[in-house]
Amino acid sequence: MSNVVAMKLELPSTPVQELVKSNTGKQIPDRYVFNPKTNTSESSNFDDNDDAVVPWMESPVIDFQQLLLDSQHEMHKLRSVLTSWGCFQLINHGTVSSKIDQLRQVSKEFFALPLEQKQKYSRTVDWFEGYGNDTVSEGQPFNWNDRLHLKIYPVDQRNVKLWPEIPSKFRETLDAYAVEVRKLLENMLKVIAKSLNLEEESFYNQFGEEEGIMFSRFNYYPPCPSPDQVFGLKPHSDVTLITILLQDTEVHGLQVLKDDQWFKVPIVPDAFFINVGDQLEIMSNGILKSVVHKVVIDKQRERMSVAVASSPPPDKEIGPVSELIDEERPQLYKNVKNYLATFLQYIARSERAIDAMKI
Ligand code: OGA
Ligand code: NI
């Protein structure tokens, strides 16, 4: 493993959206073109990037209200999808539903603003919050993706200067959405623990309860004239315990990897797509697997999504819960603090930090 600390990070000079606007020749700049010969990372099979040949995921749909009612049938279903796919569609998710349309609307309006307006909220190369693109280390291709990344919890850690003032409803809309999605996260972490026959606090407690961190990531994927040459997002897993994703209403593009095979994630109206991330894999001692996924780009249509991620505070040590460790299944992952910092260094090289956590 090369030295993660000494690596040099880069950002592309222009948002992809601007590139597409000015690109009359339809030539894709090299820095976005994925070259299978130079990328050796696991699960980055470039041949599979042709969306047309990829099968659809048989999307397991879970009913949130049934989980809250402790329906044994729904709990079994949850356990089964979590241990097979590690991701599912969540319907009937309660009060958060009323906030979704507005969130999509402000997201759309934000990305439609002139560049100078958006650049008031630009990220720096040192920290990922703000508007811009993901960093990569030298030689790695960039994602065909512009994004706005904002911490939403704890409230006193919000970097409010990076919260757009235009559209004028952006801040109040995200604030209202955040309240609801936080409740949903808490409930989901508790029911996931229960579905594994654990104390309901097992994961929520490691998340840090009131101190737990949540990030929102507004994704914008412009169309690309040669979609098979680029990735919206390269294959990756999320740093999170779980990610709560609001997909585009019309344009699909998300794919998940299961048993070395890619599957397209369908759009289920009014559903959240929820996936297990690295930190829940660690806490569950590998019983739940952090799902590798990627985003492919549409030739003609833009795509948007909003992902909400969760992570314990940096000083909190996490590790496999003791009930999931026994003689047959020893502790498979190290205890770790500030996994987020480690993750950011690995992801810039398109590598998986979780592999370094295995004992
Ligand atoms: C992410 C992600 C998927 C999507 O933001 O980490 O995987 O559909 N997003 O935009
Ligand atoms: Ni992701």
Side-chain angles (χ1 to χ4, degrees):
M1 197 64 63
S2 51
N3 183 350
V4 288
V5 181
M7 131 189 108
K8 185 169 171 294
L9 293 176
E10 294 179 301
L11 279 168
S13 50
T14 335
V16 190
Q17 194 177 9
E18 296 303 312
L19 192 79
V20 172
K21 272 189 208 155
S22 62
N23 190 357
T24 46
K26 305 207 182 261
Q27 182 69 26
I28 317 290
D30 284 350
R31 62 186 185 280
Y32 296 95
V33 175
F34 185 89
N35 184 343
K37 292 192 193 73
T38 57
N39 194 302
T40 52
S41 68
E42 178 196 358
S43 69
S44 57
N45 188 348
F46 190 59
D47 297 338
D48 288 345
N49 207 24
D50 180 0
D51 194 54
V53 301
V54 177
W56 289 98
M57 171 185 186
E58 257 178 63
S59 222
V61 174
I62 301 285
D63 185 325
F64 182 62
Q65 298 308 319
Q66 291 298 316
L67 292 176
L68 289 187
L69 292 171
D70 236 352
S71 147
Q72 286 313 297
H73 175 256
E74 213 63 12
M75 281 293 199
H76 273 116
K77 217 162 111 187
L78 179 66
R79 185 195 173 111
S80 149
V81 297
L82 279 173
T83 50
S84 52
W85 288 94
C87 53
F88 56 91
Q89 307 272 1
L90 187 74
I91 56 161
N92 248 334
H93 34 59
T95 47
V96 64
S97 305
S98 61
K99 314 287 183 220
I100 287 175
D101 290 346
Q102 281 157 302
L103 190 78
R104 285 198 169 114
Q105 184 58 28
V106 292
S107 169
K108 197 171 162 182
E109 287 173 21
F110 174 76
F111 286 110
L113 291 175
L115 180 62
E116 313 80 71
Q117 287 286 341
K118 286 178 289 201
Q119 281 182 331
K120 288 185 189 163
Y121 312 103
S122 285
R123 65 165 291 170
T124 61
V125 84
D126 308 322
W127 185 235
F128 64 89
E129 266 187 281
Y131 169 70
N133 311 90
D134 295 329
T135 48
V136 297
S137 48
E138 265 175 305
Q140 291 289 324
F142 288 106
N143 290 325
W144 196 263
N145 163 273
D146 298 333
R147 91 290 192 283
L148 173 65
H149 221 140
L150 299 170
K151 192 187 266 195
I152 51 178
Y153 279 105
V155 171
D156 60 4
Q157 289 176 24
R158 286 182 186 175
N159 207 337
V160 182
K161 273 199 234 136
L162 295 176
W163 287 44
E165 285 169 298
I166 307 175
S168 59
K169 288 213 170 345
F170 189 99
R171 289 182 176 188
E172 62 186 89
T173 303
L174 180 55
D175 188 38
Y177 185 76
V179 171
E180 299 297 339
V181 83
R182 198 192 176 293
K183 279 191 252 167
L184 181 65
L185 173 75
E186 178 174 342
N187 279 316
M188 282 312 301
L189 291 179
K190 289 180 176 174
V191 291
I192 290 173
K194 272 162 76 179
S195 79
L196 300 179
N197 300 323
L198 299 171
E199 295 286 331
E200 71 168 16
E201 299 288 328
S202 302
F203 300 136
Y204 185 59
N205 183 286
Q206 290 212 46
F207 165 63
E209 301 181 2
E210 299 308 313
E211 267 113 59
I213 297 173
M214 291 177 77
F215 287 101
S216 59
R217 178 182 165 121
F218 295 78
N219 286 304
Y220 180 80
Y221 305 97
C224 178
S226 307
D228 54 343
Q229 290 186 11
V230 301
F231 283 117
L233 293 180
K234 284 169 282 182
H236 68 281
S237 60
D238 294 341
V239 68
T240 188
L241 277 77
I242 57 171
T243 300
I244 301 176
L245 178 78
L246 194 56
Q247 285 211 78
D248 197 281
T249 50
E250 285 170 23
V251 183
H252 72 266
L254 179 60
Q255 296 185 7
V256 296
L257 191 70
K258 182 176 187 281
D259 305 328
D260 291 328
Q261 158 90 57
W262 288 105
F263 292 88
K264 291 192 271 208
V265 176
I267 296 169
V268 175
D270 302 322
F272 281 117
F273 186 73
I274 296 195
N275 67 270
V276 171
D278 287 6
Q279 296 192 80
L280 197 56
E281 176 169 333
I282 295 171
M283 292 174 194
S284 70
N285 200 23
I287 288 175
L288 306 181
K289 287 277 185 301
S290 181
V291 186
V292 173
H293 52 286
K294 66 180 178 182
V295 175
V296 302
I297 294 295
D298 196 90
K299 202 167 176 161
Q300 264 117 27
R301 293 178 298 171
E302 62 185 19
R303 178 173 183 272
M304 285 183 225
S305 69
V306 185
V308 170
S310 45
S311 195
D315 56 356
K316 190 168 177 70
E317 185 173 276
I318 64 154
V321 298
S322 53
E323 290 84 349
L324 297 176
I325 302 171
D326 56 29
E327 270 171 30
E328 269 171 43
R329 193 177 184 88
Q331 179 168 351
L332 298 175
Y333 299 79
K334 298 175 202 161
N335 288 10
V336 56
K337 274 187 190 172
N338 203 358
Y339 181 70
L340 175 63
T342 309
F343 181 90
L344 290 172
Q345 297 187 319
Y346 278 78
I347 190 94
R349 293 193 312 240
S350 304
E351 287 174 13
R352 293 196 68 196
I354 190 89
D355 293 333
M357 298 298 127
K358 290 180 183 159
I359 292 176

XYZ file of all heavy atoms in Angstrom, residues 233 236-238 293, ligand 2:
43
model
N -20.246 8.411 -11.129
C -19.405 8.119 -9.971
C -18.743 6.772 -10.223
O -19.416 5.808 -10.610
C -20.221 8.055 -8.671
C -20.868 9.348 -8.164
C -21.638 9.077 -6.860
C -19.850 10.453 -7.922
N -17.626 2.574 -6.004
C -17.196 2.944 -4.654
C -18.192 2.370 -3.656
O -19.307 1.996 -4.027
C -17.159 4.481 -4.497
C -18.525 5.119 -4.530
N -19.220 5.346 -5.706
C -19.340 5.560 -3.536
C -20.378 5.902 -5.435
N -20.496 6.044 -4.124
N -17.809 2.323 -2.399
C -18.796 2.114 -1.348
C -18.815 3.396 -0.537
O -17.926 4.234 -0.656
C -18.434 0.896 -0.500
O -17.176 1.082 0.098
N -19.857 3.570 0.288
C -20.001 4.823 1.027
C -19.375 4.693 2.416
O -19.389 3.627 3.021
C -21.479 5.206 1.154
C -22.122 5.532 -0.202
O -21.385 5.818 -1.169
O -23.362 5.510 -0.288
N -21.157 0.445 -5.514
C -22.098 0.966 -6.507
C -21.409 2.006 -7.367
O -20.320 2.487 -7.025
C -23.346 1.529 -5.820
C -23.062 2.531 -4.733
N -22.566 2.185 -3.496
C -23.191 3.880 -4.710
C -22.418 3.267 -2.758
N -22.777 4.317 -3.468
Ni -22.312 6.316 -3.093
